Amino acid sequence: QELWEPIMSFDPDMRELLIDTVNEKVRRILSLDPSKFVNGKLPFGLRPDKMTNAEAELEDQIRRLNAKLRELQEERDDAKNEVLELRRILEEMRNRYGIHQDDV
């Protein structure tokens, strides 16, 4: 209720228009991809929060760790693909030379 208190001074039609405008703006902000708004870039003229040095360092560490995580996930996926390819080649060789899994 405190949020809407200043709006209550307007007539009902204007009040509805203001509420609809605020709701739409909030929906648009919430639907944005936050990864596009780092290093001081913010949408819709929003002002950045004041961060302490410790908070800024933590934000930087989070960014670095997320980048490292993505890198490790790519390496894992590459390793999985390599294993699948090697298994396929091994199966082809077994079929070519008539070696069955039971014979090994």
Side-chain angles (χ1 to χ4, degrees):
Q1 286 294 359
E2 291 175 19
L3 177 68
W4 302 111
E5 191 174 310
I7 294 176
M8 299 313 265
S9 63
F10 293 96
D11 65 80
D13 290 335
M14 181 59 80
R15 192 179 313 141
E16 284 300 312
L17 180 64
L18 290 170
I19 289 171
D20 289 344
T21 302
V22 169
N23 282 337
E24 181 59 30
K25 188 70 124 178
V26 169
R27 278 192 193 91
R28 287 180 63 201
I29 290 171
L30 293 175
S31 68
L32 294 173
D33 180 7
S35 68
K36 295 180 181 174
F37 303 104
V38 292
N39 298 328
K41 295 185 292 185
L42 295 174
F44 306 113
L46 293 174
R47 295 182 191 140
D49 295 333
K50 302 280 185 206
M51 277 200 240
T52 64
N53 286 341
E55 290 172 327
E57 288 175 19
L58 287 173
E59 285 282 330
D60 187 48
Q61 184 177 12
I62 289 170
R63 275 193 290 281
R64 284 194 318 269
L65 289 172
N66 281 331
K68 183 66 173 174
L69 176 62
R70 282 189 296 277
E71 180 184 316
L72 291 172
Q73 288 171 334
E74 288 175 11
E75 286 180 21
R76 178 203 59 203
D77 292 343
D78 290 346
K80 279 182 181 180
N81 290 335
E82 185 176 352
V83 166
L84 290 173
E85 179 63 16
L86 289 171
R87 284 183 179 162
R88 185 189 63 74
I89 291 170
L90 179 62
E91 191 59 34
E92 283 180 8
M93 291 176 74
R94 283 181 176 157
N95 290 336
R96 185 180 306 145
Y97 296 110
I99 301 171
H100 299 305
Q101 185 69 25
D102 300 335
D103 297 341
V104 178

